[in-house]
Amino acid sequence: MNTPQVVVVMGVAGTGKTTIGPLLAARLGVPYAEGDDFHPQANIARMSAGIPLTDEDRWPWLDAIGGWAHERAGLGGVVSCSALKRSYRDRLRASAPGLVFVHLAGDRALIEDRMSHRQGHFMPTALLDSQFATLQPLQADEAGVTVDVAGDPEDITARAAAALDALGRTSSSPTGSSPLA
């Protein structure tokens, strides 16, 4: 990437945002922020109880992430955030217009298997269906790339970094959105 950008690592629960985010930040030489840390306690309690968040629940969380991204503008950074709906990404971009998204995407069975093996996370696998139902993939006019989550974290991170690099070099495309990298 030519200039320090703020990258949002997005996707449904279990795609590896918390694993890939720090690896990508280290590779890019910028700080990482864990999106879950921006949730108010009430949101964590709802999700822990298997209750999907409403848009109203998400607005303060998205605003807090957007504030962090705004402070990192021109300095670079990576933050994880599900950013499942276009309206959520629009809200993030309202605070930090230069955001670039890395959408971690993959097979539902693989993601559910990974979720069932993780320890100490508040998001139960029971909410995976609601996550997929809510997901609106990146659209053609959104700056970002889609990266397949098959493979080990180092492979996924390498694909994400390469896709971001290619996006940075693509000046003729207004979107930069790409199929699974």
Side-chain angles (χ1 to χ4, degrees), residues 144-164:
V145 296
T146 300
V147 177
D148 189 0
V149 297
D152 65 38
E154 292 75 22
D155 291 339
I156 299 164
T157 303
R159 286 196 302 271
L164 286 170

Side-chain angles (χ1 to χ4, degrees), residues 14 24 26-27 34 43 52 63 67 69 72 98 117 123 129 133 172-173 178:
L24 184 60
R27 189 173 188 127
E34 170 55 53
N43 285 7
D63 291 343
R72 297 298 313 162
H117 289 96
M123 177 69 84
D129 286 335
S172 61
S173 170
S178 72

Side-chain angles (χ1 to χ4, degrees), residues 95-172:
S95 295
L99 287 178
V100 175
F101 293 86
V102 171
H103 177 192
L104 298 179
D107 179 71
R108 189 198 182 288
L110 170 66
I111 294 167
E112 183 175 23
D113 181 62
R114 287 183 180 171
M115 282 184 77
S116 69
H117 289 96
R118 65 185 184 180
Q119 308 258 332
H121 196 277
F122 57 81
M123 177 69 84
T125 57
L127 290 182
L128 190 55
D129 286 335
S130 73
Q131 293 259 302
F132 272 104
T134 301
L135 176 64
Q136 296 172 346
L138 289 173
Q139 297 176 12
D141 63 334
E142 294 184 272
V145 296
T146 300
V147 177
D148 189 0
V149 297
D152 65 38
E154 292 75 22
D155 291 339
I156 299 164
T157 303
R159 286 196 302 271
L164 286 170
D165 185 54
L167 179 64
R169 287 184 276 117
T170 306
S171 58
S172 61

Side-chain angles (χ1 to χ4, degrees), residues 30-112:
V30 296
Y32 170 73
E34 170 55 53
D36 287 341
D37 293 344
F38 293 91
H39 272 298
Q41 189 57 43
N43 285 7
I44 293 172
R46 287 179 63 88
M47 290 183 285
S48 296
I51 302 168
L53 298 179
T54 65
D55 286 352
E56 290 73 29
D57 295 326
R58 286 186 178 91
W59 298 142
W61 173 63
L62 291 166
D63 291 343
I65 292 171
W68 182 89
H70 176 78
E71 290 174 8
R72 297 298 313 162
L75 302 171
V78 174
V79 61
S80 59
C81 173
S82 54
L84 298 177
K85 288 185 180 179
R86 170 70 187 249
S87 61
Y88 303 163
R89 297 187 297 271
D90 288 346
R91 191 162 184 125
L92 292 169
R93 279 189 294 267
S95 295
L99 287 178
V100 175
F101 293 86
V102 171
H103 177 192
L104 298 179
D107 179 71
R108 189 198 182 288
L110 170 66
I111 294 167
E112 183 175 23

